[in-house]
Amino acid sequence: MIPVQAATAGQDEPLPPERPEEELQAAWVELTAAAGRSKVTSFYACTRTGRPWTEDPAAVRAVAAALREFPVSDGQ
């Protein structure tokens, strides 16, 4: 398993009213694109805070970043 840590700076600061959903949606677009380019077929992620990572844009982007770094060659 590849450990992934999301940036914690500003995590507790509320976003403007319209921005949280847009931010989360953009993060999922990044994750979907990263998963599509990698050979990873599944993964498991969890948080230390108890907050679902799937609802935290920073955590979703951290998983996307990990997938972008994962080798895409057939030999691995």
Side-chain angles (χ1 to χ4, degrees):
M1 179 163 50
I2 301 172
V4 178
Q5 284 188 318
T8 57
Q11 260 185 318
D12 296 330
E13 297 174 17
L15 295 172
E18 296 176 22
R19 191 141 182 243
E21 187 61 37
E22 292 172 10
E23 187 75 16
L24 183 58
Q25 186 176 14
W28 274 100
V29 168
E30 288 181 34
L31 177 56
T32 301
R37 286 189 297 267
S38 75
K39 296 280 184 174
V40 174
T41 57
S42 67
F43 60 88
Y44 176 79
C46 61
T47 63
R48 295 180 189 163
T49 63
R51 179 181 177 195
W53 72 270
T54 57
E55 297 174 9
D56 181 359
V60 173
R61 284 194 169 103
V63 173
L67 289 179
R68 283 191 293 268
E69 293 178 9
F70 200 83
V72 295
S73 67
D74 290 330
Q76 301 217 7

